[in-house]
Amino acid sequence: MKYKDLIAKMTLEEKASLMSGKDFWQTQDIKRLGINSMFLADGPHGIRKQAAAADHLGLNESIPATCFPTAATVANSWNIELGEKMGEYLGEEAVAQGVNVLLGPGINMKRNPLAGRNFEYFSEDPYLAGKLAAGMIRGIQSHGISACVKHFAVNNQEERRMAIDTIVDERTLREIYLTAFEIAIDEGKTKTMMSAYNMLNGAYTNENTHLMREILRNEWKYEGVVVTDWGGSNDRVAGLIAGNELEMPTTNGETNEEIIQAIKTGKIKEEVLEENVDRLLDLLFTTEEALLESHKEIDKEKHHQMAQTVAEESIVLLKNEDEILPIQKGKKVAIVGEFAKEARYQGAGSSIVNPTKLDSTLECVKECGFETIGFETGFARYGKKSQKKIDAACTLAKRADVVLIYIGLDEVTEAEGLDRQTMKIPENQIELLNALYQVNKNIVAILSAGAAVEMPWINKVKGLVHGYLSGQAGAKAILGILSGEVNPSGKLAESYPMRYEDTPSYYQFPGKEVSVEYREGPYIGYRYYDTANVDVLFPFGYGLSYSKFEYSDIQVAKDRVTFKLTNTGGMAGSEVAQLYVGCKSTNIFRPKKELKGFTKVFLKPGETKAVTIPFDDKTFRYYNVKTNSWEIESTDYEILIGSSSTDIRLANVIAIEGTRAPLPYDKAKLPSYYSGKANNVSLAEFETLLGSKVPESKWNRTKPLGYNDTIAQCQYAKGGAARFAFKLIHFSHWFLRKIGKRSTANLIMMSIYHMPFRGVSRMTGGVINMPMLDGILMMVNGQFFKGLRHALKERRKKMEGEKSKTTMVQAAKEM
């Protein structure tokens, strides 16, 4: 241990105290030993350090900070160096605000397009997500503070996220859901990780010894700190044994006492606690030195310009019929859409950033060179169809050469804590587009959304620019693309299916009660669409440019592939060249091809560059469940170079000598996986892949409700008061949506409806402790008066204990 001598000076109580928060965002301190608090702040795309009362849902305004594009947007840049540079800016701002640990980036896989937090995550591909995350981590930590990669692991739905049990086979877990974390640790050297809320194959992630000990600590040799997601601790002692050092937020000493009693009774050894304390101290001491420069002023304009640069490289041009873009100078342009007036530029929930400034489309358009003839909202942001707004927009559109329509998903449709109900954009926006099409065919849509959407309206637009959620400078960046000042170079980091029913997890998302089964195995995103020959609207890796690029002269060596790339267009631009590898053997089921490398190359008109993409330890590997290790199959592999997953420009073959491991599967028992058509796998076949029986996925409605049951389950509780409370919550949600208070309605779902009962204690900072919660559960389970007496009795004991503690502290100060 690094801090053995310091730890030896601590009492047992002091050691335990360091394992949970001092308040909502700070860790505990021990002043007599010179141990200060650390400050942890949300910040996947900007610092969210709250100036007033702290909360986890973004209700209270935070100190102004640069709002960079979200991870879903940055991923479209396919530029590791750009992500690292953005990380440097984030790290600088974190230091200025006195933040030790920046809670980001988020690198969970985009298993399903409806997952409510997709805007915070990079990609459906673990290699791309891991490489971009590693770059951002290096940038953040270059200032001496810590990044915090999250959410470890398989946290891919928002509904019941604090209680859902994710059932996934070991190979899929390793290849799809853990690879990005592996890269983030190996190449990014992240100092902190955040455990996820959910369970994994029957155990909460922060207590899961296979995940936390066997893989994270033993295999990956991770020596940093693991912090729970806020309120994500279940059994504190089990979490400590697994190596989850820090529980957040504070529990007012309640779980510290659990640790102390576990040591006194011999349940765990004190050395286990000391091992966790040592890692936490290392994080504290290695980050606090950087904060000597805290409160230093940052150059807000410089940071704003960086946000614009990131956005410019991340915006994706999806359609450009008749070369309607870039818009020629002198063209009369009509601007339509609520999002042109008030941009949709970031997600909703714990990642909300209070921007230092915010560019406006209607202001910035004056600098673009084309003639704007007016603006109309066209639709209500959260409302129903308005014929009056549509008519006004059509009147304006009739006079224009080009119509720019700003559409997309609003803040209450796409938010943390909720999954989307549909892949469609709001109907009133589609009705507006249909009406505009009747009066002017020259329409360019500017789309704002953090995840894939259906586009049955795609033939109604000649141009389509996807800005994703492009941050505080996104409006100007988008206008740069439209005007031709910037040549678009973004490529999609996720596939866009024709319709939601085509997605591989369609039948298994979300898990509604006890569990969610990942029956599709490794076939998520393009791995499924390409292998099962399912047509998509826009493939993974797709994006247009105002230039054209030619690929030639592929050469494959044992450790690399080289080729030439030429800009055959008339405008300087960047192309993302992508390396995919396909295994020719059919002995082990695999996707048709997988991303194994990429590079972004800038070329002047007519310029040719030689490009090299090296192979690495992940190029040919697969996880063998029989040997429980990574293996390489001895066979021929296709080396494919493409402009997208479906636009393969060059191909070659290489023979690889493998590890000669035994075959892990009986092909006859896994027909869906060997065919790749794994979107509707039977229970029996999934259990064969899993190697065990699938647990019951439905709630047991006969047993009493407990700590890990959710408030939503009060609908079948024995206690009449609990059932009434559920109906009241359900009605409140319906009524608030009915009267247009959708944000408030969402809060009910996020913070009440799907909350496990233990969360009532864990998220209230000790205001309601577990003994009081026992009383509440008695009331829920039909013992109303007994439970009420118990809760009130425990509350009195708690108040008396706190009063006694305060008296003792005051007496100590007076001595």
Side-chain angles (χ1 to χ4, degrees), residues 114 217 231 369 552 736 802 808:
L114 300 187
R217 301 292 186 187
S552 62
L736 287 165
E802 288 177 354
M808 289 174 64

Side-chain angles (χ1 to χ4, degrees), residues 29-177:
D29 55 48
I30 305 174
K31 293 297 185 187
R32 75 176 187 88
L33 295 175
I35 297 171
N36 300 316
S37 296
M38 284 189 294
F39 199 101
L40 299 87
D42 279 311
H45 60 273
I47 319 302
R48 189 176 78 94
K49 184 176 181 181
Q50 289 168 305
D55 72 273
H56 191 48
L57 298 174
L59 302 179
N60 297 319
E61 195 171 78
S62 56
I63 298 168
T66 309
C67 181
F68 290 93
T70 68
T73 316
V74 178
N76 296 330
S77 75
W78 292 64
N79 189 332
I80 297 170
E81 291 74 22
L82 182 72
E84 186 166 344
K85 196 70 178 175
M86 175 177 149
E88 290 174 13
Y89 280 70
L90 285 168
E92 183 183 350
E93 292 195 29
V95 169
Q97 292 195 22
V99 172
N100 299 72
V101 180
L102 194 58
L103 302 175
I107 59 174
N108 294 99
M109 289 299 96
K110 296 188 178 186
R111 174 182 180 244
N112 186 283
L114 300 187
R117 216 165 174 179
N118 276 346
F119 62 85
E120 273 192 64
Y121 302 139
F122 287 107
S123 179
E124 67 189 31
D125 182 84
Y127 191 86
L128 178 59
K131 291 287 185 177
L132 291 168
M136 191 171 289
I137 293 161
R138 288 193 297 268
I140 292 168
Q141 295 189 166
S142 68
H143 289 274
I145 62 157
S146 173
C148 178
V149 173
K150 60 186 186 180
H151 306 85
F152 191 61
V154 288
N155 180 195
N156 305 109
Q157 69 176 65
E158 291 300 285
E159 184 169 331
R160 291 183 51 75
R161 62 180 177 166
M162 294 182 77
I164 200 74
D165 188 4
T166 301
I167 310 301
V168 59
D169 70 281
E170 185 71 13
R171 181 180 168 200
T172 298
L173 174 69
R174 299 294 194 123
E175 292 186 9
I176 303 298
Y177 297 101

Side-chain angles (χ1 to χ4, degrees), residues 532-553:
N533 295 316
V534 176
D535 289 337
V536 294
L537 182 63
F538 296 115
F540 176 79
Y542 176 84
L544 299 175
S545 169
Y546 295 146
S547 294
K548 300 291 183 185
F549 299 94
E550 185 178 281
Y551 293 70
S552 62
D553 196 21

Side-chain angles (χ1 to χ4, degrees), residues 237-400:
V237 174
L240 195 71
I241 292 169
N244 201 141
E245 288 83 4
L246 182 59
E247 176 189 21
M248 292 298 286
T250 180
T251 60
N252 201 25
E254 185 175 16
T255 55
N256 301 342
E257 188 59 33
E258 291 175 11
I259 294 169
I260 292 166
Q261 291 306 314
I263 289 170
K264 287 182 175 179
T265 58
K267 186 175 180 180
I268 59 172
K269 294 181 178 179
E270 194 164 349
E271 288 80 1
V272 173
L273 172 60
E274 291 175 348
E275 173 191 305
N276 285 270
V277 170
D278 190 66
R279 287 195 291 258
L280 191 73
L281 289 175
D282 193 50
L283 178 64
L284 167 64
F285 293 140
T286 57
T287 58
E288 69 176 0
E289 186 177 342
L291 301 190
L292 296 175
E293 295 185 29
S294 61
H295 309 298
K296 174 186 171 185
E297 281 293 314
I298 65 162
D299 186 335
K300 292 179 182 178
E301 280 302 319
K302 181 182 176 184
H303 283 233
H304 182 79
Q305 183 57 51
M306 183 61 193
Q308 181 179 326
T309 299
V310 175
E312 287 170 350
E313 276 212 43
S314 305
I315 293 164
V316 188
L317 177 61
L318 292 176
K319 186 176 182 181
N320 194 18
E321 186 181 319
D322 298 334
E323 294 188 346
I324 193 170
L325 295 174
I327 297 170
Q328 301 302 310
K329 289 189 177 182
K331 291 282 188 182
K332 292 186 290 184
V333 175
I335 300 177
V336 177
E338 170 68 24
F339 294 154
K341 183 181 178 183
E342 291 185 34
R344 173 82 206 288
Y345 62 97
Q346 65 174 324
S350 63
S351 66
I352 289 178
V353 177
N354 181 17
T356 55
K357 65 182 289 188
L358 184 60
D359 284 346
S360 161
T361 297
L362 299 182
E363 286 296 316
C364 294
V365 75
K366 298 170 186 176
E367 306 168 21
C368 285
F370 39 76
E371 182 186 343
T372 54
I373 61 170
F375 163 75
E376 290 291 342
T377 58
F379 62 88
R381 197 180 194 95
Y382 309 119
K384 297 179 180 178
K385 175 184 174 182
S386 167
Q387 193 59 48
K388 184 178 178 181
K389 289 179 182 293
I390 290 175
D391 290 343
C394 288
T395 299
L396 176 67
K398 287 176 183 177
R399 299 190 289 115

Side-chain angles (χ1 to χ4, degrees), residues 460-752:
K460 299 288 176 67
V461 300
K462 284 189 176 181
L464 177 57
V465 174
H466 200 337
Y468 268 73
L469 302 178
S470 49
Q472 67 181 51
K476 192 169 184 179
I478 289 168
L479 287 168
I481 300 287
L482 295 172
S483 67
E485 184 181 335
V486 176
N487 191 351
S489 63
K491 301 252 187 179
L492 293 176
E494 59 189 318
S495 307
Y496 274 58
M498 293 286 191
R499 55 186 194 138
Y500 178 56
E501 290 81 358
D502 292 339
T503 58
S505 55
Y506 171 72
Y507 294 100
Q508 301 293 331
F509 180 91
K512 287 288 185 181
E513 296 191 8
V514 174
S515 63
V516 56
E517 297 165 11
Y518 285 31
R519 293 194 192 184
E520 70 280 359
Y523 296 103
I524 73 166
Y526 74 90
R527 284 171 167 79
Y528 168 69
Y529 300 120
D530 288 358
T531 310
N533 295 316
V534 176
D535 289 337
V536 294
L537 182 63
F538 296 115
F540 176 79
Y542 176 84
L544 299 175
S545 169
Y546 295 146
S547 294
K548 300 291 183 185
F549 299 94
E550 185 178 281
Y551 293 70
S552 62
D553 196 21
I554 185 171
Q555 303 289 327
V556 178
K558 64 178 182 179
D559 61 349
R560 69 176 69 89
V561 57
T562 60
F563 54 94
K564 290 178 181 176
L565 189 61
T566 303
N567 182 346
T568 59
M571 186 176 183
S574 296
E575 168 72 341
V576 177
Q578 302 155 41
L579 163 65
Y580 295 89
V581 174
C583 181
K584 301 282 277 185
S585 168
T586 59
N587 289 329
I588 300 165
F589 69 81
R590 292 188 180 196
K592 186 176 181 179
K593 57 181 174 290
E594 297 180 280
L595 183 75
K596 297 297 181 178
F598 58 91
T599 185
K600 193 166 192 174
V601 184
F602 176 80
L603 294 163
K604 297 173 183 176
E607 184 180 11
T608 297
K609 284 184 179 178
V611 180
T612 299
I613 301 179
F615 301 155
D616 60 22
D617 62 329
K618 298 169 185 66
T619 304
F620 304 108
R621 74 178 190 176
Y622 74 96
Y623 193 81
N624 188 305
V625 293
K626 188 168 282 188
T627 64
N628 289 319
S629 61
W630 293 101
E631 306 286 359
I632 295 175
E633 198 173 357
S634 298
T635 187
D636 290 342
Y637 292 83
E638 285 188 297
I639 304 301
L640 308 167
I641 301 297
S643 184
S644 78
S645 66
T646 62
D647 184 8
I648 302 301
R649 305 290 185 88
L650 302 170
N652 209 325
V653 175
I654 185 172
I656 296 294
E657 182 66 29
T659 52
R660 302 192 180 279
L663 294 178
Y665 303 117
D666 182 343
K667 185 186 291 190
K669 294 180 179 179
L670 298 169
S672 299
Y673 298 106
Y674 275 89
S675 70
K677 296 177 180 178
N679 64 321
N680 196 11
V681 176
S682 70
L683 177 62
E685 189 176 351
F686 179 56
E687 288 182 336
T688 300
L689 179 69
L690 195 64
S692 63
K693 286 288 184 183
V694 169
E696 176 56 53
S697 63
K698 300 296 183 184
W699 290 320
N700 183 342
R701 287 165 168 77
T702 61
K703 70 168 189 172
L705 297 181
Y707 294 146
N708 289 321
D709 293 309
T710 62
I711 291 168
Q713 291 171 251
C714 285
Q715 61 189 280
Y716 61 80
K718 291 182 180 179
R723 292 196 303 274
F724 176 76
F726 169 79
K727 288 178 181 177
L728 187 62
I729 292 167
H730 200 266
F731 172 78
S732 299
H733 178 259
W734 172 85
F735 181 72
L736 287 165
R737 286 187 65 87
K738 192 76 175 173
I739 63 173
K741 302 287 186 181
R742 291 172 63 193
S743 292
T744 310
N746 284 353
L747 278 175
I748 289 175
M749 298 301 285
M750 282 191 282
S751 58
I752 301 174

